Amino acid sequence: MKIIYASILFLLLVLSACASTEPVIVGAEGIKVETIEFEGVTRFSKGQLLGVMYSKEDSWVPLSPDAPFDDALATSDIARILEFYRAHGYFEARVTELKSEVVDSKAQLKFVVDEGPAATVGELKVQWMTEVPEDVQERAEEQILLKKDEVFEVGKYNQTLGAIRQSLQNDGYPHAETTGGVQVRLTHSDALVEIRIIPGKSAAIGAIDIEGLVDVPEHLVMAELEFAQGEAFSPARLRQMETALRSMRVFRWVSAQPATQVVDGKVGVQVQVSEADPHELKIGAELSVDTVRWQEQARLNYTYTNLFGNLTRLDLGAIAGWAQLPNPWDTDLNGPVASINPKITKKGLLERHLLWSVNPTVALDLQEGYQYFTVKNRFGVSRWFAGRFLVGIGQNTDYVDFFNLDPELDQRTALLGRDFRDPYLLSSLEAHAAAYFVDQITSPTDGVIIEATYNFASEVVLSDFDFHKALVGIRGYLKPFERLQLASRARAGIIYPFGPDGSVPFNQRFYLGGATSVRGWGSRRLSPRIEECEAEAESESCSVIPIGGYSMLQGNFEARIKLVEQLSLVGFFDVGDVRPDALDFNLAELNYSAGPGLRANTPLGVVRLDLGFRLNDTGRFEGEQMWGIYFGLGQAL
């Protein structure tokens, strides 16, 4: 009797394992799948079928997951292949044979497939349960992906239902529904398709109810959402509302959903939020490596988002460290680097959408040829329009005092003319405008950002210098595949001194070269320079002091391929040039570079490692190294 019970229990365990949605792994240890082949397959590519299977081919790519051989996995793959075929209209497809051969711990698999005939759309019936305006109906029916006598695909059918519902919601029908049914006739090799559309009532956005507020004042939150009230309902409008609240930077997450009923042509919106901790403190150590500069520093970032209980925001940044030029083992210049940078922002003064900011900074730093101490401040106000356009104005004040000047720089001040003063006071007015046509403003993956900045410095605003400075740029992002991110940037800038004593501080001119501009060049090295050369017995060595220019062109392109969740491979192409005079652009002398890189996502942020190679030599920068290694935090563009 015990044997009978044990047999029954064993049988039940086997049946439950067979009924499981996950395959039972009973493979041989150490055997890997070398190749997978398909016989009789014409409709799909090998890659498409491998994409739906458990079994994978072993790859030569580093860090790729292993591809162990397992009979149970291969058997389960038969069901997945058939499911894939049926989803694309091949309801009579069969896997007639699975062949497996193991040689020297390497397995070769072959699936023999009989695809059978494809089912076509025999009849397509669209039924509207209530009437809608003709243009609304036309836009909705344009979303139908299935056509009579074409191959029926389950994916297209489901996409059609979702696209029709989305189209109606975009036209102001918040509770639109789509249903239907499909009858497959194997005897006719076709499918009878029915789509039923329930539009519901059209509506504008009415009352907005916010849940989850604790310390954040409700009237300040409602001020961010006023743009939506009374506007036609659409999912895009809800996403705009969520984006507006996330941009306040006081919530962990935000969700906006329509109420369940339309009343008097309006639908309420229920907004749920979760307040973030108003205090945030980050402390860490950083190392940045460049061809001509190494820097080690400690960093502190502190944020308080609700100062005075009215969403006044304090962002405090501070660094302290040491820099060596060009590197720690062959130092020409080294010294301390430090800065403290508090920034206070407040929205709602004078007009509820105006964002005011004051940003004083005290810093100690060094560049090739000099060290300097600076005290500066920026006071400004900005405003968003329609959630996509940002316009701002500001006033900048910089006091700079140089010390430890290179003798060559000190002796060649005649070359710089009025562009070299020690110390100096720079005061300028600034105007900035940007247009964000991207999926998300803070970390875009698709879209375009256009920006322009103009600065005016003059003795009229108590400045030691008189000049116009303009910088325009465009950034583009595209994510064609889940594991591929493309990013690009183009910028152009000019500085134009004016008046009898027109001049520009030489350390405020344009510079290129380094980890975030044109790689393959050292930091700021792609610019006009002063060279100090010493004749030796067999060669002549020169020290370089970049002094910047009045005209600048720059372009960057990156392709980022995700290898694993935390690691991406990057390929980049950079181009740029800086010229000594205003409006002095020479496309024939642009400098090009390219190279590979790695990006690692860490708790501290993105860690970047790039290797850049110069692709040409214009002859203007003799003796400059043709490659460079760069290590630091954050994306390059």
Side-chain angles (χ1 to χ4, degrees), residues 252-312:
R252 290 189 185 89
W253 54 263
V254 177
S255 174
Q257 297 296 330
T260 56
Q261 293 183 344
V262 174
V263 179
D264 296 329
K266 293 185 178 181
V267 62
V269 174
Q270 297 173 338
V271 178
Q272 293 182 317
V273 299
S274 174
E275 291 186 12
D277 189 335
H279 301 273
E280 184 179 31
L281 176 64
K282 294 182 179 179
I283 301 175
E286 298 176 352
L287 167 67
S288 61
V289 176
D290 191 281
T291 304
V292 296
R293 180 183 178 120
W294 284 54
Q295 183 166 317
E296 310 85 32
Q297 65 184 29
R299 176 182 292 275
L300 178 148
N301 289 315
Y302 171 73
T303 299
Y304 186 22
T305 59
N306 199 13
L307 194 64
F308 310 126
N310 61 359
L311 295 192
T312 298

Side-chain angles (χ1 to χ4, degrees), residues 220-278:
L220 296 178
V221 179
M222 289 299 300
E224 299 295 324
L225 302 178
E226 284 185 348
F227 72 92
Q229 286 189 307
E231 298 292 329
F233 171 87
S234 71
R237 194 79 65 190
L238 295 184
R239 303 292 82 80
Q240 285 182 332
M241 295 171 66
E242 292 176 346
T243 299
L245 295 189
R246 280 195 293 267
S247 67
M248 297 177 70
R249 299 184 294 176
V250 294
F251 300 117
R252 290 189 185 89
W253 54 263
V254 177
S255 174
Q257 297 296 330
T260 56
Q261 293 183 344
V262 174
V263 179
D264 296 329
K266 293 185 178 181
V267 62
V269 174
Q270 297 173 338
V271 178
Q272 293 182 317
V273 299
S274 174
E275 291 186 12
D277 189 335

Side-chain angles (χ1 to χ4, degrees), residues 16 183 302 452 481 569 589 604:
S16 65
Q183 180 184 354
Y302 171 73
F481 309 107
L569 176 66
E589 293 193 359
L604 297 177

Side-chain angles (χ1 to χ4, degrees), residues 93-337:
R94 296 180 301 128
V95 177
T96 59
E97 188 176 3
L98 168 59
K99 302 177 182 179
S100 62
E101 182 179 356
V102 179
V103 179
D104 296 332
S105 297
K106 295 182 179 180
Q108 291 87 35
L109 304 181
K110 178 182 285 188
F111 294 83
V112 181
V113 179
D114 178 7
E115 295 183 326
T120 59
V121 178
E123 180 180 319
L124 179 61
K125 182 180 179 182
V126 180
Q127 183 179 3
W128 287 84
M129 307 309 292
T130 58
E131 292 186 0
V132 296
E134 185 176 345
D135 60 331
V136 173
Q137 180 173 332
E138 289 178 357
R139 281 192 291 272
E141 294 186 357
E142 286 175 358
Q143 310 305 314
I144 299 176
L145 302 177
L146 300 172
K147 307 295 181 185
K148 186 173 171 47
D149 297 328
E150 291 185 359
V151 174
F152 170 79
E153 296 186 24
V154 175
K156 285 187 176 181
Y157 173 72
N158 291 332
Q159 289 179 40
T160 294
L161 296 182
I164 291 175
R165 182 170 59 252
Q166 183 75 32
S167 176
L168 288 169
Q169 289 177 345
N170 289 338
D171 278 324
Y173 292 80
H175 304 127
E177 297 181 14
T178 52
T179 61
V182 178
Q183 180 184 354
V184 178
R185 301 188 300 182
L186 296 180
T187 56
H188 294 74
S189 294
D190 68 1
L192 307 181
V193 180
E194 181 180 4
I195 299 173
R196 292 186 293 274
I197 304 172
I198 309 170
K201 298 179 180 180
S202 64
I205 293 178
I208 298 175
D209 182 36
I210 303 174
E211 298 180 1
L213 294 178
V214 180
D215 295 320
V216 176
E218 183 174 358
H219 71 279
L220 296 178
V221 179
M222 289 299 300
E224 299 295 324
L225 302 178
E226 284 185 348
F227 72 92
Q229 286 189 307
E231 298 292 329
F233 171 87
S234 71
R237 194 79 65 190
L238 295 184
R239 303 292 82 80
Q240 285 182 332
M241 295 171 66
E242 292 176 346
T243 299
L245 295 189
R246 280 195 293 267
S247 67
M248 297 177 70
R249 299 184 294 176
V250 294
F251 300 117
R252 290 189 185 89
W253 54 263
V254 177
S255 174
Q257 297 296 330
T260 56
Q261 293 183 344
V262 174
V263 179
D264 296 329
K266 293 185 178 181
V267 62
V269 174
Q270 297 173 338
V271 178
Q272 293 182 317
V273 299
S274 174
E275 291 186 12
D277 189 335
H279 301 273
E280 184 179 31
L281 176 64
K282 294 182 179 179
I283 301 175
E286 298 176 352
L287 167 67
S288 61
V289 176
D290 191 281
T291 304
V292 296
R293 180 183 178 120
W294 284 54
Q295 183 166 317
E296 310 85 32
Q297 65 184 29
R299 176 182 292 275
L300 178 148
N301 289 315
Y302 171 73
T303 299
Y304 186 22
T305 59
N306 199 13
L307 194 64
F308 310 126
N310 61 359
L311 295 192
T312 298
R313 181 183 178 95
L314 169 65
D315 292 280
L316 175 63
I319 64 170
W322 197 266
Q324 304 92 32
L325 283 65
N327 53 61
W329 56 88
D330 184 22
T331 300
D332 292 332
L333 177 65
N334 66 87
V337 291

Side-chain angles (χ1 to χ4, degrees), residues 404-421:
N404 197 18
L405 291 173
D406 185 282
E408 185 67 13
L409 180 61
D410 204 15
Q411 296 168 12
R412 299 282 290 277
T413 53
L415 175 66
L416 295 171
R418 291 180 55 81
D419 287 1
F420 182 85
R421 304 184 195 182

